[in-house]
Amino acid sequence: MEIAKAYNPKEAEESHYQRWEKLGFFSPEINENPNATPYSIVIPPPNVTGSLHMGHALQHTLMDVLIRRKRMQGFKTLWLPGTDHAGISVQRKVVEQLRKDENKSPLDIGREEFLRRCWKWKEDYGNTITEQMRREGASVDWTRQRFTMDESLSRAVREVFCTLYEEGWIYRGLRIVNWCPKDKTVLSDLEVKEESKKDGKLTYLKYPIKDSDRTITVATTRPETMLGDTAVAVNPKDERYQDLIGKMIALPLTNREIPIIADEYVESKFGTGAVKITPAHDPNDYQVGERHNLPQILVMNDDATMNANAGAEFEGLDRFKAREKVVEDFEKLGLLEKVEDYEISLPTCERCKTIVEPILSEQWFVKMDEMRDLALDLAKQNTPKFSPEVPHAKVYTNWLENLKDWTISRQLWWGHQIPAWYDEGGNVFVARTYEEAKDQAKTDKLIQDNDVLDTWFSSALWAFSTFGWNGEITETEDLNTFSPTDVLVTGRDIIFLWVSRMMMTTKKFVNKVAFKDVIVTGTVLGKDGKPMSKSRGNGVDPLDLFDKMGVDATRIYLASIATGADIRWNDTLIETYRNFANKIWNATRFCLMNSEGATVDHQSLMLDGNDSIADKWIVSRLNKTAIDVNKALDKYEFHTAVSLLYHFFWDDFCDWYIELVKDEITFTDESADADEDDLSVLKESAPQIEARTRIITILETALRMLHPFMPYLTEELWFKLPNVSNALHHESYKSAEATIMLTNFPNGDASAIDEKAESEMQSVIELISKVRNIRAEMQIKPSDRIAIHVACDRNFQRIFTENKAQILKLARADKLNLSNSLDVPKASAKAVITGGAEIAIPLEGLIDFEQERNRLQNQINKLDTELQRLNGQLGNANFVERAPAEKVQEIRDRVAEIETQIKALKLNLEALG
RNA sequence: GCCCACUUAGUUCAGCGGUAGAACGCUCGCUUCACACGCGAGAAGUCAGAAGUUCAAGUCUUCUAGUGGGCACCA
């Protein structure tokens, strides 16, 4: 079998995915067992404008690991892919394109044409991320791919909107909302990020009191809003202002008069104790305004320039220019008291970073009290179960408890247009269709609401709308089979935005939990410890990693860091896994170079008791690893699973097992004059074929366990193994074409764990390691053969005799002398191993006595430190009395062991003189 | 202001009540017939600080400091 010397990921990645997809391996229908248990995951729909970033790569890897393992275990698995329509993002891109290419605005071409362009844009560019997911090896069922603006999903949106409206859970109202002047749309609280600004200013303005020469001073961070002031409020108990309550103010720069009112909301201690009230531009002021029946004067346009209400002097000015002008004008009037530096946090638009303006606006809202309880009641029963539980479960519950109403209308065209119509009198009719609205209104002179719904409104239905529910159709086979989904994998940032809302709507509309478990991944941070972002330039592109390191290396690397905690990016760590991929490749290469006559045969791992220690040991290790990997994955401890697989494969299988059986399975040149390159003259013996079959089968089992993490490499190598076919498949996939994807994921067999063999093998390993240590420290050349003398009991003698050939080879020795006591020249290097075997290596002429003394003394010192600590424990009467007896015994045994070793080493030291 | 998490080898991180671990880096030695993306042997940590609980504490409790995050407030 010809196989390249180094693993080339590209070659393997190119062919397999297409085949898997074409043969339908990703669809649940591939499972032939009608009674198979379903297992499902819906993908957090990436933004249709998006391209793959590190967060996706991490989360997709974890979902794929979960799905691939369950599929191999015979579950009827579905991982459902799709994208959301990303209202603002797409709209912004199309607007920009229109402006650049045709110098037109959306209004120039009209709503219908604009939407046509949006769909075109989606057709042209919306596949970026789905193609990238194919590159990742994500085993999603593309036949069930969904988009939030698909016909059925859109119908679901209308159904949900209307139902919630009919039940009074959705309302339309005039409220202070977050307005993004750049996108010219309202935003929900969750789309607004507070950004602390150190160079803020607090401006103190003096307002003259009518018919008086007094003034009252108010402080503000947004002086321009004074143009919309309709009162000044003070605390009713504030003695400073008692005589002013009820007086009128001649509001400067306007020709309005506004009252001084008393309201509990004002804190006397803060600022001057007097607050300007701008009901149309501040949520608190709005409430004060409601209480006192104050007029609401909106002084800004939707692009945050001042409007006519602000006065001719200000109309058309940008809000920040207006701010400067207000301050200047007050100064000219002698009414500017002072300007202080003031640290303030400003609400900004999460997407475009524009400072959000709170303004009075009529919008649609979801009332959150009853809605919230749907999720909160479940949360109190620990549903969904968060992983890691701390801190997410608590943060989630706390957030639900303090939830405010959700602004769902957006002043965009791209999205689900709100199913509400207005007649000429402005009466509103909410209906599933225009026809129904007409029936309600008894007229056809209706205009549909211009606005669309928040993208998250449709995403909130993802856990059931994707399975076919749309209000008209309320039961589908997929919904029955795959809902509730088993687990959701997502980032911290959308727990509130998305996870919570899916829990609510799924409970409300299909009366199910959306998903049982939620895995919250950490964030992969840049080298600087900050979240990766384009503006910071600290991002790492997963596609670059795919090119440089290979998809499989990237995947298993990401799984290895998936502990739930944030992790700082480190360039060199991924190389570990590129090297690992190459190691797997080469171990397979080695096995294949010596595979003549061998087959993959799991019967070969059923040991009968007459097998070698090495075989019993590796089979034991293999099964233990399988059991532990499954346990780890059941607990979503991906990093533990990776670590177990890495060390089993590299340390146990490559470093020891392959080396131990190398001579047995490779051709020897004993057969007379045979040309070494001419393998044909050599004949395999039955035991050799047995040994080859066993190592190939162990390798095959390891590849299966690695497959969910490294799908391409394992598939590529699996096909190179002798006699692989769909006969090796899990029983649920017997008719499918051959692939490692559909083989059994090893469960591990507890009865195959052989602690005795493991401990015996440990002694062999320790013996070889000690000899190697002596060789290295005594600077014995690799080419120099040595003699090993071991004094030990009969049990050790049996073990070492059985492994004599391997010990000689791996310790580069030509003699192994086993006896009850040592009889060696003084010029020998010595060591002791656990269990009391003494090693001596005669080094006539090679030994440096001084160096050997140091070496022995160092070992004695190390042991002595431990001995003292342990003796300290035993000397503590409380410990001996109160600690569990087995613990005490453990320590005593250890002390005895160390004392034996120290004694032997000391004798050796004395013998050196 | 309230709440939460984190602080372990040079670096990035595991471990979370009973002998301090991994990877990378570092030192020394190897063209050993799968792999130099390799092989062998090493060095390297008062587990942020203080107090407490316990026979026993990176591991549990409290406090302190630093870092990061969430929520509220922001005239």
Side-chain angles (χ1 to χ4, degrees), chain A residues 177-277:
Chain A
V177 295
N178 307 299
W179 185 265
C180 174
K182 183 158 181 233
D183 292 323
K184 295 183 189 164
T185 181
V186 63
L187 302 172
S188 75
D189 293 347
L190 286 170
E191 293 161 291
V192 173
K193 285 276 165 275
E194 298 286 327
E195 237 164 62
S196 120
K197 228 183 136 210
K198 296 218 157 50
D199 57 349
K201 299 269 187 264
L202 190 59
T203 307
Y204 290 75
L205 303 175
K206 290 194 277 194
Y207 286 178
I209 290 159
K210 196 187 165 197
D211 304 328
S212 155
D213 52 6
R214 291 176 63 184
T215 60
I216 184 165
T217 303
V218 295
T220 178
T221 56
R222 296 188 292 152
E224 71 281 10
T225 61
M226 62 77 53
L227 299 166
D229 282 359
T230 52
V232 166
V234 298
N235 190 288
K237 297 197 188 90
D238 195 327
E239 289 175 8
R240 293 172 294 180
Y241 299 117
Q242 286 302 320
D243 56 330
L244 293 181
I245 294 170
K247 292 257 164 54
M248 296 302 282
I249 288 167
L251 190 64
L253 313 183
T254 70
N255 38 32
R256 292 205 311 277
E257 290 184 359
I258 60 173
I260 295 174
I261 58 172
D263 194 286
E264 296 280 351
Y265 153 73
V266 182
E267 281 181 46
S268 304
K269 286 161 290 183
F270 195 95
T272 62
V275 188
K276 60 190 274 309
I277 299 296

Side-chain angles (χ1 to χ4, degrees), chain A residues 558-618:
Chain A
L558 289 169
S560 83
I561 60 171
T563 63
D566 289 354
I567 186 156
R568 203 180 276 230
W569 180 260
N570 182 311
D571 281 327
T572 61
L573 288 180
I574 190 168
E575 288 177 20
T576 303
Y577 294 95
R578 182 200 53 182
N579 297 350
F580 185 45
N582 190 55
K583 188 73 179 177
I584 296 168
W585 178 268
N586 272 291
T588 306
R589 180 166 176 255
F590 170 78
C591 292
L592 290 174
M593 286 166 84
N594 301 287
S595 63
E596 191 61 38
T599 57
V600 173
D601 177 6
H602 288 268
Q603 207 56 40
S604 71
L605 303 188
M606 305 291 173
L607 304 185
D608 61 8
N610 295 321
D611 301 273
S612 71
I613 294 172
D615 286 336
K616 286 191 263 188
W617 168 77
I618 195 70

Side-chain angles (χ1 to χ4, degrees), chain A residues 25 76 113 137 245 302 316 331 408 450 613 620 625 702 704 865:
Chain A
F25 292 169
K76 187 182 176 102
E113 175 61 15
I245 294 170
D302 64 5
E331 185 150 36
I408 49 172
N450 262 319
I613 294 172
S620 178
T625 302
R704 290 184 186 194
T865 312

Side-chain angles (χ1 to χ4, degrees), chain A residues 10-284:
Chain A
K10 281 237 170 64
E11 283 173 25
E13 288 162 20
E14 272 161 18
S15 54
H16 299 301
Y17 193 90
Q18 234 187 336
R19 174 171 177 268
W20 293 333
E21 186 181 346
K22 200 179 77 208
L23 292 174
F25 292 169
F26 302 155
S27 297
E29 286 74 22
I30 195 74
N31 194 311
E32 297 156 25
N33 174 7
N35 301 317
T37 310
Y39 184 86
S40 61
I41 299 178
V42 289
I43 201 167
N47 211 299
V48 70
T49 62
S51 64
L52 198 75
H53 62 235
M54 202 56 82
H56 293 127
L58 170 61
Q59 288 159 20
H60 295 174
T61 295
L62 303 189
M63 286 183 258
D64 203 33
V65 166
L66 293 170
I67 280 286
R68 282 181 184 270
R69 169 168 163 260
K70 288 288 178 183
R71 188 183 294 118
M72 291 172 79
Q73 289 176 329
F75 287 77
K76 187 182 176 102
T77 49
L78 171 63
W79 180 13
L80 188 145
T83 47
D84 76 35
H85 62 275
I88 293 181
S89 298
V90 171
Q91 173 126 0
R92 192 183 286 158
K93 291 201 192 249
V94 175
V95 167
E96 180 59 18
Q97 202 176 45
L98 199 58
R99 192 191 58 77
K100 248 173 76 183
D101 298 351
E102 303 170 46
N103 198 24
K104 284 182 180 162
S105 77
L107 282 172
D108 295 333
I109 63 171
R111 185 167 192 142
E112 203 174 320
E113 175 61 15
F114 182 80
L115 288 178
R116 209 185 56 73
R117 307 274 180 117
C118 288
W119 280 107
K120 178 81 167 56
W121 189 94
K122 191 235 169 198
E123 297 311 317
D124 291 347
Y125 304 107
N127 300 327
T128 305
I129 197 146
T130 54
E131 284 312 308
Q132 289 168 335
M133 283 182 61
R134 287 180 162 90
R135 177 98 198 267
E136 287 182 296
S139 62
V140 295
D141 182 3
W142 292 110
T143 67
R144 284 176 169 81
Q145 183 179 352
R146 300 286 184 265
F147 177 57
T148 43
M149 280 173 68
D150 284 349
E151 178 51 39
S152 180
L153 275 71
S154 299
R155 189 185 288 269
V157 166
R158 289 195 295 275
E159 175 67 28
V160 167
F161 184 93
C162 292
T163 305
L164 291 179
Y165 179 79
E166 285 153 12
E167 296 184 9
W169 293 23
I170 280 182
Y171 65 92
R172 186 165 180 265
L174 195 63
R175 298 292 133 89
I176 297 281
V177 295
N178 307 299
W179 185 265
C180 174
K182 183 158 181 233
D183 292 323
K184 295 183 189 164
T185 181
V186 63
L187 302 172
S188 75
D189 293 347
L190 286 170
E191 293 161 291
V192 173
K193 285 276 165 275
E194 298 286 327
E195 237 164 62
S196 120
K197 228 183 136 210
K198 296 218 157 50
D199 57 349
K201 299 269 187 264
L202 190 59
T203 307
Y204 290 75
L205 303 175
K206 290 194 277 194
Y207 286 178
I209 290 159
K210 196 187 165 197
D211 304 328
S212 155
D213 52 6
R214 291 176 63 184
T215 60
I216 184 165
T217 303
V218 295
T220 178
T221 56
R222 296 188 292 152
E224 71 281 10
T225 61
M226 62 77 53
L227 299 166
D229 282 359
T230 52
V232 166
V234 298
N235 190 288
K237 297 197 188 90
D238 195 327
E239 289 175 8
R240 293 172 294 180
Y241 299 117
Q242 286 302 320
D243 56 330
L244 293 181
I245 294 170
K247 292 257 164 54
M248 296 302 282
I249 288 167
L251 190 64
L253 313 183
T254 70
N255 38 32
R256 292 205 311 277
E257 290 184 359
I258 60 173
I260 295 174
I261 58 172
D263 194 286
E264 296 280 351
Y265 153 73
V266 182
E267 281 181 46
S268 304
K269 286 161 290 183
F270 195 95
T272 62
V275 188
K276 60 190 274 309
I277 299 296
T278 324
H281 286 275
D282 182 280
N284 290 314

